[in-house]
Amino acid sequence: MIVNNTKREKNTVTFDVTLDAAEFESYVNAAYKKAKGKITVPGFRKGHAPRKVVEGMYGKDVFYDDAMNDAAPVAFMFGAGEEKLEVVGQPAVEKFDFNEENALVLSFKTDVWPECELGEYKGLEAPKAAVEVSEDEVMAEVSRLREQGARITPVERESANGDVLNIDFEGFRDGVAFAGGKGEGYDLELGSGSFIPGFEEQLVGMKAGEEKDISVHFPAEYHSKELADQDATFHVKCNEVKEKILPELDDEFAKDNDCDTLEELKNGIRERMLKSRQEVADSAFEEVIVNKAAENMIVDIPQCMIEEALDNKVNEYARYMSAQGMKLEEYLKMTGSSYELFRERYREDAANEVRTEVLLRAVAKAEGIEIAEEEMESEYADLAAKYGMKIEDVKRAIPEGDMRNQMIHKKAAALIAAAGVPVAEVNETEEAAGEQAE
């Protein structure tokens, strides 16, 4: 095969691949062998007619279409490899022809990874939230841990707010029991807000063995249309009253939570919350800075890349819906939408994702960012540990090329963010005051 007449216009490349007569003949003969079993010729058993005879009946070029269909993908891959093209989208055969030597000439057209001109990507400014954790927030987490460690003990007294009642109940509307309104042996913490407003409050003061009817009104926004904004009566039997006893807030409580002292526990909570919030703030800052760098870049994105990213987003959503037990088609019908409208909703996001990917690859190339094999193995090991998988299974799920690209992009984004300049966030009141002062 010979590649020639290569031309590039923006992100579209055209080139010719010539197969000499012998090469093309091999594809024609292969097409004949593939088809001959279906060919019937008078005087020959089905599938045994010689090629010359078949060509004599149907024309010399009877197998040319099949031969070209088989040859085209191979010829394209050869040409793209020779020209070192990074193909995106689906290539097309623009035309084909035969020269004087009966050689086949295929003309291809394909989009390729876009060239871009990087703009400013270092020293960009973006607001970054100040990270802090209040004492009240630390104590709220301590309270949550106390709730987890609470002991539940039966008591022989009237129930009070905060107690746990074991109840049987059944709901009626206009004297008729309704679906989903019955429960037995249910543990309900009074004051938790687990049931509709007015239900738990009326159980305060009940004793074990006592039964009573309570009246409630379902909220207008209740999920069941049949019950929304409706009056109902519940017959409730209290089986048991249990008191929740919280652990003392002392060093013994801290030891139950893997700390030596209460102060150590509180400091650990504060550090974890600060770390988590710092990661969120860093991620948000990085996203804004990278988006700014992408806006500064000059590039013409092939439409096929956006369409492919759009397909991926829609398919990802469809998989999510399927995991929830609903097909995308059912969701669209339920929401009165169409596939086309749903798809268009994500077009801008898809375009931004592609633009960011082009930016990060260009920055990585400009900065000479590479990924060492040890880094790759470490990343695979971390993912395996995180998801409880074998490294071999992670490698099958994420091929080496994909993993390397992800890590390169991550490094490039981190480089852009590290060179960014955080500025204090300005709230709307301060901004308005500044405008008035001007």
Side-chain angles (χ1 to χ4, degrees), residues 31-335:
Y32 156 69
K33 289 180 179 179
K34 191 190 300 184
K36 71 176 184 177
K38 304 174 184 177
I39 299 174
T40 300
V41 176
F44 295 91
R45 285 182 296 155
K46 185 177 181 179
H48 285 73
R51 176 180 156 189
K52 293 294 184 183
V53 173
V54 177
E55 290 176 339
M57 289 184 62
Y58 297 103
K60 183 180 179 181
D61 59 355
V62 63
F63 300 113
Y64 279 17
D65 283 349
D66 289 341
M68 283 188 288
N69 287 337
D70 292 339
V74 179
F76 176 79
M77 291 302 294
F78 176 82
E82 286 289 296
E83 297 298 317
K84 295 180 174 53
L85 303 178
E86 186 171 4
V87 176
V88 296
Q90 295 296 320
V93 178
E94 290 285 275
K95 63 177 182 178
F96 63 90
D97 202 357
F98 298 95
N99 61 21
E100 297 79 7
E101 293 79 26
N102 203 35
L104 173 64
V105 181
L106 292 165
S107 298
F108 295 100
K109 180 179 181 180
T110 184
D111 288 323
V112 294
W113 187 269
E115 294 179 349
C116 71
E117 181 182 335
L118 284 172
E120 189 62 59
Y121 62 89
K122 291 183 178 179
L124 300 175
E125 294 185 352
K128 189 171 186 178
V131 174
E132 55 184 26
V133 175
S134 69
E135 185 66 19
D136 287 345
E137 289 172 320
V138 173
M139 291 310 298
E141 178 61 14
V142 171
S143 297
R144 188 186 67 80
L145 293 175
R146 289 183 75 196
E147 290 284 341
Q148 285 184 347
R151 291 186 295 111
I152 308 295
T153 305
V155 291
E156 297 293 333
R157 60 168 173 77
E158 291 183 353
S159 63
N161 230 17
D163 287 341
V164 175
L165 266 62
N166 183 275
I167 59 173
D168 299 336
F169 62 89
E170 186 170 15
F172 299 86
R173 187 160 63 89
D174 297 330
V176 179
F178 54 81
K182 184 176 182 180
E184 295 181 352
Y186 187 91
D187 278 338
L188 173 63
E189 181 181 342
L190 300 185
S192 66
S194 302
F195 278 29
I196 62 173
F199 188 97
E200 295 171 25
E201 292 86 341
Q202 297 181 65
L203 302 188
V204 173
M206 288 189 76
K207 292 182 178 181
E210 183 180 346
E211 299 184 37
K212 68 186 297 189
D213 290 334
I214 61 174
S215 297
V216 297
H217 185 81
F218 281 91
E221 66 277 7
Y222 194 67
H223 61 81
S224 171
K225 293 181 179 179
E226 292 76 15
L227 297 174
D229 204 24
Q230 298 294 312
D231 292 324
T233 300
F234 279 89
H235 181 76
V236 182
K237 177 186 178 183
C238 178
N239 301 315
E240 190 175 34
V241 177
K242 295 178 281 188
E243 183 179 11
K244 181 189 289 187
I245 303 175
L246 298 175
E248 292 294 326
L249 196 56
D250 54 20
D251 290 345
E252 288 303 313
F253 166 69
K255 289 175 182 177
D256 290 337
N257 288 276
D258 302 320
C259 292
D260 291 331
T261 66
L262 181 60
E263 196 61 30
E264 181 184 338
L265 174 63
K266 290 166 64 176
N267 288 337
I269 291 172
R270 182 178 288 102
E271 289 173 7
R272 287 193 297 274
M273 293 177 75
L274 280 171
K275 181 182 178 183
S276 175
R277 292 180 182 183
Q278 189 63 59
E279 289 173 352
V280 171
D282 290 344
S283 178
F285 176 74
E286 179 180 288
E287 182 178 354
V288 173
I289 287 290
V290 168
N291 286 340
K292 282 193 170 186
E295 290 172 2
N296 293 340
M297 174 182 62
I298 299 174
V299 66
D300 182 20
I301 306 289
Q303 190 61 34
C304 65
M305 293 180 69
I306 297 174
E307 296 300 326
E308 183 177 347
L310 194 49
D311 289 341
N312 291 337
K313 292 188 78 66
V314 173
N315 291 337
E316 181 181 347
Y317 194 90
R319 287 192 294 271
Y320 169 77
M321 292 299 298
S322 178
Q324 307 305 310
M326 180 181 290
K327 293 182 179 179
L328 180 59
E329 295 78 7
E330 295 171 343
Y331 170 78
L332 295 176
K333 185 176 181 180
M334 184 178 69
T335 56

Side-chain angles (χ1 to χ4, degrees), residues 331-343 345:
Y331 170 78
L332 295 176
K333 185 176 181 180
M334 184 178 69
T335 56
S337 185
S338 67
Y339 180 82
E340 291 73 20
L341 289 174
F342 179 80
R343 194 170 184 275
R345 188 189 308 171

